[in-house]
Amino acid sequence: MAEDKFFEDKFFNARVSYDADFDPRFAPRFAEIATFMRAPYRPDLREIDIGVCGVPYDGGATNRAGARHGPRAVRDLSTLMRNIHHVSRINPFSLARVADVGDARLNSLFDNASAEKDLVAFFSRFAEAGATPLTIGGDHSITYAILKGVVRQGPVGLVHIDAHTDVLGPIQGVRFHHASPFRNAIEDGLVDPARMVQIGIRGSHNTSEAWEFCARHGIRVIYIEEFDALGVARTVEIAREIVGAGPAYLSFDIDALDPSIAPGTGTPEAGGLTMREAQGLVRGMRGLDLIGADVVEVSPPFDPGTNTALCAATMAYELLCLLAEARARQA
Ligand code: MN
Ligand code: MN
């Protein structure tokens, strides 16, 4: 096809359709509304396989807020992504019906309990429609609400990549906050601690509560120092052995990355992962029976160069490839 004919056909005349592979070249990448990777906007979950959604909420942040602005910033930078993965050659849009379903809506900006309830209801709709969620946060509290919404048949396995274990108890009497999602999920029987692995953990604490919770529940914690010694390939082997063949969820906190490359987050911890390491870890999870995934804790007010949002969009794309392949297997 001559180049001018291509432009005529694709850039100006194409209509987004699931009848054929989604072609993002329907318009220049800087143009049009910035849905995730410029996927079609389809809020009706019954029409899709994978719904990318935003949770513009940071009411669970214990320190620096701003993750409520994460979804919009990540969507904007996600327009830099292209469809076909250069290693796996997966095109998620060929394997599954992928759409941006918009943001979760909250009835109150000021009430954590109300937000939790709204988010659980929002993610329950995915389970009811049989759609897989790929969520852009938002602070990490939301992962508990996601799991509560989508986990229906017994506890799932979990790959948790983060600087923090996120297993603290209530703070000031509130259980739904960003340092507690996995304690809440384990206590509610949503995650099986024996099928759970945490990778990239580091940083000082004021008490040993979190470390003790992990030890007591037999959670395999791969601290950043052990990760350094093991390397990506061996860490992947260990993680896959722990998570096994059953349904599993993957949660990626952007503060797992080193703050030199991802400063835009509420609780940065120096001495973190590189993007190549994080990409290697996620690519290594190919073949797991994933029922959903998220990228959380991007805080654009601390991200003037937008590199954190670019890293988050890139990780979300890596996850989308895994989810699309899992959907194709499950079909
Ligand atoms: Mn976290
Ligand atoms: Mn964290």
Side-chain angles (χ1 to χ4, degrees), residues 140 160-166 178 201-202 253-256 265 267-269 296-297:
H140 219 156
H160 174 208
I161 304 174
D162 199 326
H164 311 101
T165 55
D166 291 348
H178 77 160
I201 307 300
R202 61 190 185 275
D253 185 327
I254 203 71
D255 69 30
T265 192
T267 319
E269 299 287 353
V296 296
E297 295 284 354

Side-chain angles (χ1 to χ4, degrees), residues 167-170 183 205-214 216:
V167 292
L168 289 184
R183 184 196 193 101
H205 278 328
N206 289 320
T207 73
S208 50
E209 178 191 352
W211 301 319
E212 284 164 6
F213 181 92
C214 291
R216 194 161 67 244

Side-chain angles (χ1 to χ4, degrees), residues 279-321:
Q279 287 170 299
L281 286 170
V282 167
R283 289 171 194 170
M285 303 305 159
R286 193 174 176 187
L288 293 188
D289 184 21
L290 291 175
I291 62 159
D294 61 52
V295 178
V296 296
E297 295 284 354
V298 176
S299 182
F302 295 100
D303 192 31
T306 73
N307 198 51
T308 312
L310 173 63
C311 291
T314 305
M315 293 313 299
Y317 167 67
E318 295 279 353
L319 292 169
L320 177 61
C321 290

